[in-house]
Amino acid sequence: MTEITTEKARIGAPSAQPFINGFTEEGESLSPINTNASKAPLAGEAVKRHSHGGGVGIPDSSRAGRLTSYNLADFKPLTGLEEDWRFTPLKRLRGLHSEVLAGAAPTVTVSGPEQVTVETVARGDKRIGSAGIPEDRVSANAWENFSEATVLTIPAEFEADTEVTVVIEGTSTEAAAQHLVIVAEKFSKAVVVLNHQGSAVVSENIEIVVEDGANLTVVSLQEWNDDAVHASSQQAKIGRDAKFKHVVVSLGGDLVRVTPSTRFTAPGGEAEMFGLYFADAGQHLEQRLFVDHAVANCTSNVLYKGALQGRNAHAVWVGDVLIRKEAEGTDSYEANRNLLLTDGARADSVPNLEIETGLIKGAGHASATGRLDDEHLFYLMARGIPEDVARRLVVRGFLHEIIQQIKVPALEERLTEAVERELAVTNN
């Protein structure tokens, strides 16, 4: 079957054509209805206390105007009609959006270079809240209910020669809250692997601070047992000339919803965000990411790939990239690719790109969802490769592009084996 694709043109810097009357150099309308914020059509409910966006915008109209708050009461109860939750089966959240999260949080065990410090701190620690504010009701509920947090610090100018492994193991299915802070101090370099495993019903807030000149890779691996429910908000703040790579790998669990955010705070920052997911029958794997180009001369690249097999296997990917008016010189691209291996599987893919200035190097997005290409299979089978082996080779090649971005040989090998186990479930 031919692959179904939807492509958007890449937008580059503006040409030397004369400006249009009534518009600024960046393309912003000078109409009074837009320049008077109090009367603008996008003003109103989104202008709230704790708002972390642009201060204008009706709810869900733009990531710039999205409500953020530490207080659960500021978020209305979920109905499933909200843009941010329209793909999520709320009944399967097991109370993460509506109940007090009184269960025991998964245990945290850290191993790695001795120079990396690990602390268990109370809610009042000044590092908590340094990278972001909850952006939805589930995250805010976790914020109100966690009792202590784990803070992991890579010291300034230290370059780790081995990865830092954080094993997050669930032992209970009572709804719980968890909080983790990762700080990469100035000019440090490290790879941090977050390994989620066991059984849990948990809402998790992860804050990531990448200070000036630091180079940090964070790999979030979801290999939960089949009964696990996991909602994870992972917010990163990127300093001047800092490099950040974020990799999400979701394989296990009943419902897994990961919402990574990257925000640039100073020029010269670079962010790469990669994702791999393999959904089986009945499984719901959701990824909603946000890249906030709030300052000039930063670069971002996003690529997520997923495979789905089995009845009611469901994957969701929503990518939001916002290039603010101040973010001149931005270079950004995001893409999502989904491979449907059997009938009954469903993939929802929604790339979003907001641009408030035309003075950028380039920006674009793309999405594609389809079945295995018959021509690829024919090519391999014509060379004596059995059909089942040929199908596996195509899927391996499709997903390997993400696995090889991790740059941790032992983990890459482990993920390759995990993909093999997924493929072995059916005749793919």
Side-chain angles (χ1 to χ4, degrees), residues 7-35:
E7 298 285 344
K8 297 288 186 178
R10 185 171 175 82
I11 301 171
S15 66
Q17 299 296 323
F19 301 130
I20 301 173
N21 289 336
F23 290 82
T24 67
E25 179 179 353
E26 293 82 8
E28 179 185 15
S29 173
L30 295 176
S31 168
I33 197 171
N34 290 330
T35 56

mmCIF file of all heavy atoms in Angstrom, residues 7-35:
data_model
loop_
_atom_site.group_PDB
_atom_site.id
_atom_site.type_symbol
_atom_site.label_atom_id
_atom_site.label_comp_id
_atom_site.label_asym_id
_atom_site.label_seq_id
_atom_site.Cartn_x
_atom_site.Cartn_y
_atom_site.Cartn_z
ATOM 1 N N GLU A 7 2.766 16.883 3.753
ATOM 2 C CA GLU A 7 3.975 17.673 3.900
ATOM 3 C C GLU A 7 3.632 19.156 3.904
ATOM 4 O O GLU A 7 2.747 19.621 3.205
ATOM 5 C CB GLU A 7 4.961 17.384 2.755
ATOM 6 C CG GLU A 7 5.432 15.942 2.700
ATOM 7 C CD GLU A 7 6.435 15.617 3.773
ATOM 8 O OE1 GLU A 7 6.993 16.541 4.368
ATOM 9 O OE2 GLU A 7 6.673 14.420 4.018
ATOM 10 N N LYS A 8 4.366 19.907 4.686
ATOM 11 C CA LYS A 8 4.257 21.357 4.700
ATOM 12 C C LYS A 8 5.550 21.953 4.169
ATOM 13 O O LYS A 8 6.640 21.475 4.475
ATOM 14 C CB LYS A 8 4.007 21.876 6.130
ATOM 15 C CG LYS A 8 2.688 21.394 6.731
ATOM 16 C CD LYS A 8 1.506 22.070 6.075
ATOM 17 C CE LYS A 8 0.204 21.696 6.781
ATOM 18 N NZ LYS A 8 -0.961 22.352 6.240
ATOM 19 N N ALA A 9 5.422 23.022 3.418
ATOM 20 C CA ALA A 9 6.611 23.652 2.855
ATOM 21 C C ALA A 9 7.453 24.278 3.950
ATOM 22 O O ALA A 9 6.943 24.775 4.949
ATOM 23 C CB ALA A 9 6.199 24.720 1.844
ATOM 24 N N ARG A 10 8.746 24.256 3.758
ATOM 25 C CA ARG A 10 9.670 24.880 4.690
ATOM 26 C C ARG A 10 9.672 26.374 4.436
ATOM 27 O O ARG A 10 9.734 26.831 3.296
ATOM 28 C CB ARG A 10 11.077 24.304 4.503
ATOM 29 C CG ARG A 10 12.075 24.818 5.518
ATOM 30 C CD ARG A 10 13.368 24.030 5.381
ATOM 31 N NE ARG A 10 14.406 24.554 6.236
ATOM 32 C CZ ARG A 10 14.528 24.269 7.505
ATOM 33 N NH1 ARG A 10 13.656 23.481 8.064
ATOM 34 N NH2 ARG A 10 15.523 24.771 8.223
ATOM 35 N N ILE A 11 9.620 27.123 5.510
ATOM 36 C CA ILE A 11 9.545 28.573 5.414
ATOM 37 C C ILE A 11 10.911 29.153 5.721
ATOM 38 O O ILE A 11 11.483 28.904 6.786
ATOM 39 C CB ILE A 11 8.500 29.131 6.408
ATOM 40 C CG1 ILE A 11 7.135 28.506 6.097
ATOM 41 C CG2 ILE A 11 8.427 30.641 6.314
ATOM 42 C CD1 ILE A 11 6.099 28.812 7.132
ATOM 43 N N GLY A 12 11.422 29.941 4.820
ATOM 44 C CA GLY A 12 12.741 30.524 5.011
ATOM 45 C C GLY A 12 12.672 31.999 5.295
ATOM 46 O O GLY A 12 11.612 32.574 5.515
ATOM 47 N N ALA A 13 13.834 32.665 5.292
ATOM 48 C CA ALA A 13 13.890 34.094 5.550
ATOM 49 C C ALA A 13 13.164 34.852 4.442
ATOM 50 O O ALA A 13 13.102 34.423 3.301
ATOM 51 C CB ALA A 13 15.355 34.540 5.630
ATOM 52 N N PRO A 14 12.584 36.024 4.747
ATOM 53 C CA PRO A 14 11.826 36.769 3.754
ATOM 54 C C PRO A 14 12.720 37.310 2.658
ATOM 55 O O PRO A 14 13.905 37.544 2.859
ATOM 56 C CB PRO A 14 11.197 37.901 4.581
ATOM 57 C CG PRO A 14 12.100 38.071 5.754
ATOM 58 C CD PRO A 14 12.611 36.690 6.054
ATOM 59 N N SER A 15 12.132 37.489 1.471
ATOM 60 C CA SER A 15 12.877 38.054 0.359
ATOM 61 C C SER A 15 12.995 39.544 0.531
ATOM 62 O O SER A 15 12.461 40.142 1.458
ATOM 63 C CB SER A 15 12.158 37.720 -0.948
ATOM 64 O OG SER A 15 10.902 38.377 -0.975
ATOM 65 N N ALA A 16 13.671 40.177 -0.387
ATOM 66 C CA ALA A 16 13.909 41.618 -0.299
ATOM 67 C C ALA A 16 12.760 42.408 -0.910
ATOM 68 O O ALA A 16 12.946 43.519 -1.393
ATOM 69 C CB ALA A 16 15.220 41.954 -0.994
ATOM 70 N N GLN A 17 11.539 41.878 -0.928
ATOM 71 C CA GLN A 17 10.399 42.582 -1.488
ATOM 72 C C GLN A 17 9.957 43.695 -0.543
ATOM 73 O O GLN A 17 10.162 43.633 0.671
ATOM 74 C CB GLN A 17 9.240 41.595 -1.692
ATOM 75 C CG GLN A 17 9.576 40.470 -2.659
ATOM 76 C CD GLN A 17 9.843 40.988 -4.051
ATOM 77 O OE1 GLN A 17 9.195 41.919 -4.504
ATOM 78 N NE2 GLN A 17 10.814 40.401 -4.738
ATOM 79 N N PRO A 18 9.316 44.773 -1.077
ATOM 80 C CA PRO A 18 8.821 45.852 -0.226
ATOM 81 C C PRO A 18 7.811 45.312 0.774
ATOM 82 O O PRO A 18 7.085 44.373 0.497
ATOM 83 C CB PRO A 18 8.172 46.815 -1.233
ATOM 84 C CG PRO A 18 8.778 46.479 -2.557
ATOM 85 C CD PRO A 18 9.074 45.019 -2.509
ATOM 86 N N PHE A 19 7.765 45.961 1.941
ATOM 87 C CA PHE A 19 6.823 45.547 2.965
ATOM 88 C C PHE A 19 5.403 45.920 2.544
ATOM 89 O O PHE A 19 5.169 46.891 1.815
ATOM 90 C CB PHE A 19 7.155 46.201 4.305
ATOM 91 C CG PHE A 19 8.525 45.877 4.787
ATOM 92 C CD1 PHE A 19 9.382 46.879 5.208
ATOM 93 C CD2 PHE A 19 8.978 44.573 4.808
ATOM 94 C CE1 PHE A 19 10.656 46.580 5.649
ATOM 95 C CE2 PHE A 19 10.247 44.260 5.254
ATOM 96 C CZ PHE A 19 11.084 45.276 5.671
ATOM 97 N N ILE A 20 4.437 45.149 3.028
ATOM 98 C CA ILE A 20 3.037 45.415 2.725
ATOM 99 C C ILE A 20 2.528 46.498 3.655
ATOM 100 O O ILE A 20 2.768 46.467 4.868
ATOM 101 C CB ILE A 20 2.206 44.131 2.895
ATOM 102 C CG1 ILE A 20 2.749 43.047 1.950
ATOM 103 C CG2 ILE A 20 0.733 44.387 2.624
ATOM 104 C CD1 ILE A 20 2.102 41.700 2.163
ATOM 105 N N ASN A 21 1.804 47.457 3.107
ATOM 106 C CA ASN A 21 1.263 48.530 3.932
ATOM 107 C C ASN A 21 0.367 47.959 5.021
ATOM 108 O O ASN A 21 -0.448 47.076 4.774
ATOM 109 C CB ASN A 21 0.448 49.494 3.063
ATOM 110 C CG ASN A 21 1.329 50.315 2.140
ATOM 111 O OD1 ASN A 21 2.515 50.505 2.434
ATOM 112 N ND2 ASN A 21 0.772 50.800 1.039
ATOM 113 N N GLY A 22 0.532 48.489 6.218
ATOM 114 C CA GLY A 22 -0.282 48.040 7.340
ATOM 115 C C GLY A 22 0.296 46.894 8.118
ATOM 116 O O GLY A 22 -0.325 46.400 9.054
ATOM 117 N N PHE A 23 1.529 46.445 7.742
ATOM 118 C CA PHE A 23 2.171 45.337 8.429
ATOM 119 C C PHE A 23 3.599 45.715 8.787
ATOM 120 O O PHE A 23 4.243 46.501 8.089
ATOM 121 C CB PHE A 23 2.187 44.071 7.565
ATOM 122 C CG PHE A 23 0.838 43.457 7.377
ATOM 123 C CD1 PHE A 23 -0.016 43.948 6.405
ATOM 124 C CD2 PHE A 23 0.410 42.414 8.173
ATOM 125 C CE1 PHE A 23 -1.270 43.394 6.225
ATOM 126 C CE2 PHE A 23 -0.834 41.856 7.998
ATOM 127 C CZ PHE A 23 -1.682 42.341 7.026
ATOM 128 N N THR A 24 4.120 45.179 9.878
ATOM 129 C CA THR A 24 5.496 45.405 10.266
ATOM 130 C C THR A 24 6.422 44.562 9.404
ATOM 131 O O THR A 24 5.989 43.731 8.609
ATOM 132 C CB THR A 24 5.721 45.015 11.729
ATOM 133 O OG1 THR A 24 5.564 43.600 11.854
ATOM 134 C CG2 THR A 24 4.759 45.718 12.660
ATOM 135 N N GLU A 25 7.733 44.730 9.605
ATOM 136 C CA GLU A 25 8.725 43.957 8.865
ATOM 137 C C GLU A 25 8.554 42.476 9.125
ATOM 138 O O GLU A 25 8.831 41.634 8.272
ATOM 139 C CB GLU A 25 10.120 44.424 9.282
ATOM 140 C CG GLU A 25 11.258 43.673 8.604
ATOM 141 C CD GLU A 25 12.607 44.200 9.050
ATOM 142 O OE1 GLU A 25 12.654 45.202 9.763
ATOM 143 O OE2 GLU A 25 13.611 43.573 8.661
ATOM 144 N N GLU A 26 8.111 42.112 10.349
ATOM 145 C CA GLU A 26 7.943 40.710 10.706
ATOM 146 C C GLU A 26 6.622 40.138 10.209
ATOM 147 O O GLU A 26 6.327 38.972 10.429
ATOM 148 C CB GLU A 26 8.028 40.535 12.232
ATOM 149 C CG GLU A 26 9.393 40.833 12.815
ATOM 150 C CD GLU A 26 9.620 42.317 13.036
ATOM 151 O OE1 GLU A 26 8.667 43.102 12.886
ATOM 152 O OE2 GLU A 26 10.770 42.696 13.352
ATOM 153 N N GLY A 27 5.770 40.981 9.590
ATOM 154 C CA GLY A 27 4.490 40.490 9.104
ATOM 155 C C GLY A 27 3.364 40.663 10.089
ATOM 156 O O GLY A 27 2.264 40.152 9.896
ATOM 157 N N GLU A 28 3.591 41.391 11.181
ATOM 158 C CA GLU A 28 2.562 41.609 12.195
ATOM 159 C C GLU A 28 1.620 42.720 11.754
ATOM 160 O O GLU A 28 2.053 43.789 11.328
ATOM 161 C CB GLU A 28 3.214 41.966 13.529
ATOM 162 C CG GLU A 28 2.219 42.245 14.644
ATOM 163 C CD GLU A 28 2.919 42.702 15.903
ATOM 164 O OE1 GLU A 28 4.097 43.062 15.838
ATOM 165 O OE2 GLU A 28 2.272 42.714 16.954
ATOM 166 N N SER A 29 0.335 42.497 11.855
ATOM 167 C CA SER A 29 -0.639 43.497 11.455
ATOM 168 C C SER A 29 -0.603 44.689 12.397
ATOM 169 O O SER A 29 -0.524 44.543 13.625
ATOM 170 C CB SER A 29 -2.048 42.899 11.438
ATOM 171 O OG SER A 29 -3.020 43.902 11.211
ATOM 172 N N LEU A 30 -0.670 45.895 11.824
ATOM 173 C CA LEU A 30 -0.691 47.121 12.620
ATOM 174 C C LEU A 30 -2.104 47.602 12.891
ATOM 175 O O LEU A 30 -2.301 48.707 13.394
ATOM 176 C CB LEU A 30 0.092 48.221 11.885
ATOM 177 C CG LEU A 30 1.591 47.950 11.717
ATOM 178 C CD1 LEU A 30 2.218 49.053 10.898
ATOM 179 C CD2 LEU A 30 2.273 47.830 13.053
ATOM 180 N N SER A 31 -3.084 46.776 12.573
ATOM 181 C CA SER A 31 -4.471 47.158 12.815
ATOM 182 C C SER A 31 -4.703 47.443 14.287
ATOM 183 O O SER A 31 -4.202 46.720 15.162
ATOM 184 C CB SER A 31 -5.399 46.030 12.364
ATOM 185 O OG SER A 31 -6.715 46.251 12.823
ATOM 186 N N PRO A 32 -5.477 48.486 14.627
ATOM 187 C CA PRO A 32 -5.739 48.808 16.034
ATOM 188 C C PRO A 32 -6.344 47.664 16.807
ATOM 189 O O PRO A 32 -6.136 47.522 17.998
ATOM 190 C CB PRO A 32 -6.726 49.996 15.939
ATOM 191 C CG PRO A 32 -6.475 50.592 14.600
ATOM 192 C CD PRO A 32 -6.095 49.442 13.709
ATOM 193 N N ILE A 33 -7.085 46.785 16.118
ATOM 194 C CA ILE A 33 -7.712 45.675 16.835
ATOM 195 C C ILE A 33 -6.682 44.698 17.374
ATOM 196 O O ILE A 33 -6.902 43.975 18.329
ATOM 197 C CB ILE A 33 -8.715 44.942 15.919
ATOM 198 C CG1 ILE A 33 -9.664 44.081 16.757
ATOM 199 C CG2 ILE A 33 -8.004 44.083 14.889
ATOM 200 C CD1 ILE A 33 -10.794 43.505 15.961
ATOM 201 N N ASN A 34 -5.479 44.690 16.750
ATOM 202 C CA ASN A 34 -4.411 43.805 17.210
ATOM 203 C C ASN A 34 -3.436 44.509 18.129
ATOM 204 O O ASN A 34 -2.790 43.886 18.964
ATOM 205 C CB ASN A 34 -3.648 43.223 16.025
ATOM 206 C CG ASN A 34 -4.474 42.223 15.251
ATOM 207 O OD1 ASN A 34 -5.318 41.569 15.823
ATOM 208 N ND2 ASN A 34 -4.241 42.138 13.952
ATOM 209 N N THR A 35 -3.260 45.818 17.980
ATOM 210 C CA THR A 35 -2.289 46.537 18.796
ATOM 211 C C THR A 35 -2.846 46.933 20.146
ATOM 212 O O THR A 35 -2.102 47.247 21.057
ATOM 213 C CB THR A 35 -1.800 47.790 18.059
ATOM 214 O OG1 THR A 35 -2.941 48.597 17.705
ATOM 215 C CG2 THR A 35 -1.055 47.416 16.795
#
